[in-house]
Amino acid sequence: MTALDVRDVRFSYGEKEALKSVSFSLEPGRFCALLGPNGAGKSTLFALMTRLLVTGEGRITIAGHDIARAPRAALAAIGVVFQQPTLDLDMTVTRNMRYFAALHGISGRDAQARIDAALDRLSMRERADEKVRALNGGHRRRMEIARALIHQPRLLLLDEPTVGLDTASRRAITDHVHELATGGLTVFWATHLVDEITPEDEVVVLHRGEVLAQDSARSIAGGQSLTDAFMAMTGAEA
Amino acid sequence: MSAYLIVMGAIISREMQRFLNQRGRFFAALVRPLVWLLVFAAGFRAALGLSIIPPYQTYITYEVYIVPGLCGMIQLFNGMQSSLSLVYDQEMGSMRLLLTSPMPRWWLLLSKLAAGVAVSLLQVYVFLAIAAALGIDMPLAGYALALPALIVSGLMLGALGLLLSSYVKQLENFAGVMNFVIFPMFFLSSALYPLWKMAESSALLRDICAFNPFTHAVELIRFALYGQFNGLALAVVCGGFAVFFLLAVRGYDPARGLAKRRHSG
């Protein structure tokens, strides 16, 4: 079963066409980057995949569940890290995580066990009772990623998760999420930064609402650097 | 525990904690009705003669008269404040977190409403306790009997706030909401003056007040505080809640136009 299948999806904001018949699919256990310059339609596609927006044209299937017909099963199968932080800064790390677990119907000891495990993976257990405001940007982001995995989704969606982070934090988070994919999770990572992609990663290149290519980063690069290949595909806008 | 209740419990506890963390908001929520009670009512007491009208069985002072209206005012402001925080949440992203929960969207919105009502109940009872300490008290049983009335009126006023938040896209537009929703609703109601008093100056104004659902919320609370049941008020408040909530759910439906416009920025 594919982890994510997007078929002939179109979407317009009034007159402006944001996505023009977008189609691609992801196999389970892969790290796939959605690479596109600003304004390519990445955030619109994410909003459609998370049902913040709905379109009448095309079909999005997540772990076998059509998001239009079975939205609850589809949403239960995804973990999302939005571009904008969605943490309560004046609440503790644990409380933020408990709130999220509850939104997925998980509470009590089960929730606590999952939260402890998530914090252990990040080596953040000792900071569980600190307010999120006390954490730096990198730790906040790692925490959001850990939170998105509490309900054990099949697909992890990240919309430009390294925006605003310093180089070291960016590297740490990129490596961490690549490891998650090695562990069997399907990762779909939107970015306009080519250096976050390794040659083995799958890449979907989105430009002006259209998929220009889907292949491994190595194949798309075709002997040159991925940056050059990407710039050649999208004009000089990268 | 069912997943539905887990979600609702978490949303209520988050809102409560946020409210208790914001000491300024708690303070403002109490000062506003207390100023009305202690300053405005003291000045008006001499100017305004009140006759005996249901549910009262004896002459009452003006301070006693406006207590139910001020309870309603607390809930009205709280409903708008919750709606303001929803608009803020939409801008800041935490609304997205909520809306990507696999629970049905109407349940998520109802849970948000329940959270707002819980916060307003806390404010109302602290206000009633301060009023009682100042000698403006109600029959003891009335405090308990008012609880269901306050829940229903809180739901209606919260649903109105929710509805507004689904149509008002930016925080800046909220000043307009204050001017065009809160003030007319409060002043054109039975919160400050009984309807017969309004009729003395203008029959039209009286009719507008009688039509205003906030009037019925205030009367429902007023009657309940004196152990009496006001069927018409309950019907109007429940009807208002149903209409406002259904329209709000419609406003938050991703398949409709509103969400599209909000994302287009």
Side-chain angles (χ1 to χ4, degrees):
Chain A
M1 192 201 301
T2 53
L4 171 68
D5 187 60
V6 176
R7 271 309 116 207
D8 305 321
V9 168
R10 294 166 185 271
F11 190 83
S12 305
Y13 296 106
E15 296 289 297
K16 188 172 168 274
E17 207 172 14
L19 295 175
K20 304 167 190 167
S21 195
V22 168
S23 295
F24 63 90
S25 61
L26 303 187
E27 294 305 314
R30 292 296 306 265
F31 181 104
C32 179
L34 175 66
L35 183 62
N38 291 330
K42 300 191 295 292
S43 288
T44 302
L45 185 57
F46 266 69
L48 289 169
M49 290 188 294
T50 51
R51 209 174 168 266
L52 291 170
L53 290 178
V54 169
T55 176
E57 295 177 86
R59 213 165 85 131
I60 297 176
T61 313
I62 293 158
H65 306 289
D66 183 337
I67 197 157
R69 290 191 190 159
R72 295 184 54 193
L75 286 174
I78 55 174
V80 197
V81 177
F82 293 104
Q83 195 173 341
Q84 272 181 326
T86 55
L87 295 165
D88 282 318
L89 296 182
D90 291 316
M91 290 190 192
T92 64
V93 170
T94 303
R95 233 190 124 91
N96 266 282
M97 291 207 158
R98 286 196 84 95
Y99 174 65
F100 179 84
L103 288 183
H104 283 263
I106 304 164
S107 69
R109 277 190 209 150
D110 185 17
Q112 195 55 51
R114 289 170 191 243
I115 291 165
D116 289 345
L119 292 176
D120 280 341
R121 270 200 301 277
L122 293 175
S123 316
M124 275 177 68
R125 183 84 169 260
E126 72 284 356
R127 308 194 70 169
D129 296 324
E130 279 183 39
K131 285 193 174 171
V132 172
R133 199 177 283 284
L135 305 182
N136 66 32
H139 275 116
R140 288 181 195 180
R141 263 289 120 122
R142 286 177 77 112
M143 202 200 118
E144 281 190 289
I145 294 167
R147 187 180 62 173
L149 298 174
I150 283 181
H151 59 297
Q152 293 167 334
R154 308 272 296 271
L155 173 67
L156 178 63
L157 302 175
L158 305 104
D159 188 6
E160 306 205 9
T162 58
V163 164
L165 298 183
D166 61 40
T167 314
S169 300
R170 262 184 66 204
R171 169 62 70 81
I173 283 177
T174 314
D175 290 349
H176 174 62
V177 176
H178 274 89
E179 279 166 28
L180 291 173
T182 317
L185 183 73
T186 311
V187 174
F188 195 43
W189 171 288
T191 186
H192 62 273
L193 301 167
V194 176
D195 63 350
E196 292 175 352
I197 301 168
T198 69
E200 291 73 32
D201 292 339
E202 180 112 351
V203 178
V204 172
V205 180
L206 189 71
H207 181 52
R208 291 185 182 156
E210 287 179 281
V211 173
L212 298 185
Q214 180 182 8
D215 211 329
S216 71
R218 196 187 304 280
S219 303
I220 288 177
Q224 51 185 338
S225 76
L226 185 59
T227 309
D228 291 342
F230 178 54
M231 287 181 72
M233 271 184 191
T234 59
E237 294 173 52
Chain B
M1 197 169 28
S2 102
Y4 282 81
L5 292 179
I6 292 173
V7 169
M8 185 178 270
I11 293 173
I12 292 176
S13 116
R14 174 175 179 261
E15 290 298 322
M16 271 289 194
Q17 169 129 28
R18 270 171 54 151
F19 176 68
L20 294 172
N21 282 347
Q22 298 167 336
R23 299 229 169 78
R25 189 178 151 200
F26 202 171
F27 188 68
L30 282 175
V31 165
R32 200 180 298 120
L34 284 173
V35 166
W36 278 89
L37 187 65
L38 300 176
V39 181
F40 180 85
F44 251 57
R45 186 178 196 171
L48 203 75
L50 290 177
S51 68
I52 300 174
I53 48 162
Y56 306 108
Q57 281 156 357
T58 173
Y59 283 104
I60 47 157
T61 63
Y62 186 61
E63 285 93 330
V64 170
Y65 178 79
I66 69 165
V67 164
L70 295 178
C71 292
M73 183 177 92
I74 292 173
Q75 292 196 306
L76 179 66
F77 268 89
N78 190 70
M80 295 307 135
Q81 185 98 39
S82 305
S83 131
L84 186 78
S85 82
L86 275 171
V87 176
Y88 179 80
D89 278 358
Q90 282 160 16
E91 288 196 344
M92 298 309 288
S94 55
M95 194 65 183
R96 292 182 183 190
L97 191 72
L98 180 73
L99 295 181
T100 50
S101 154
M103 289 295 139
R105 190 161 286 193
W106 67 268
W107 181 258
L108 296 170
L109 295 173
L110 187 65
S111 300
K112 269 277 188 193
L113 268 189
V117 172
V119 169
S120 82
L121 289 177
L122 179 68
Q123 295 171 27
V124 166
Y125 276 101
V126 172
F127 166 72
L128 285 173
I130 295 174
L134 295 169
I136 307 160
D137 54 354
M138 312 284 138
L140 202 56
Y143 291 108
L145 292 168
L147 182 62
L150 287 164
I151 291 175
V152 184
S153 58
L155 281 172
M156 181 193 75
L157 295 169
L160 176 65
L162 194 65
L163 173 62
L164 291 171
S165 76
S166 71
Y167 291 91
V168 177
K169 281 181 292 167
Q170 282 162 345
L171 283 177
E172 297 84 70
N173 298 343
F174 246 81
V177 171
M178 292 283 285
N179 283 329
F180 291 104
V181 179
I182 293 191
F183 292 136
M185 263 193 120
F186 182 61
F187 288 114
L188 290 170
S189 77
S190 61
L192 297 179
Y193 345 90
L195 293 189
W196 66 265
K197 198 86 190 167
M198 207 60 133
E200 281 180 356
S201 58
S202 157
L204 176 66
L205 273 182
R206 187 223 162 264
D207 291 345
I208 294 174
C209 294
F211 193 73
N212 180 356
F214 184 69
T215 295
H216 295 279
V218 170
E219 292 311 304
L220 186 66
I221 298 167
R222 188 190 311 283
F223 274 68
L225 276 169
Y226 289 87
Q228 293 182 42
F229 177 70
N230 187 331
L232 172 67
L234 181 66
V236 172
V237 172
C238 289
F241 165 61
V243 170
F244 296 150
F245 186 62
L246 287 175
L247 288 174
V249 171
R250 195 168 179 267
Y252 275 97
D253 182 346
R256 304 212 179 254
L258 288 155
K260 291 187 184 183
R261 271 185 274 148
R262 200 171 287 136
H263 272 273
S264 62

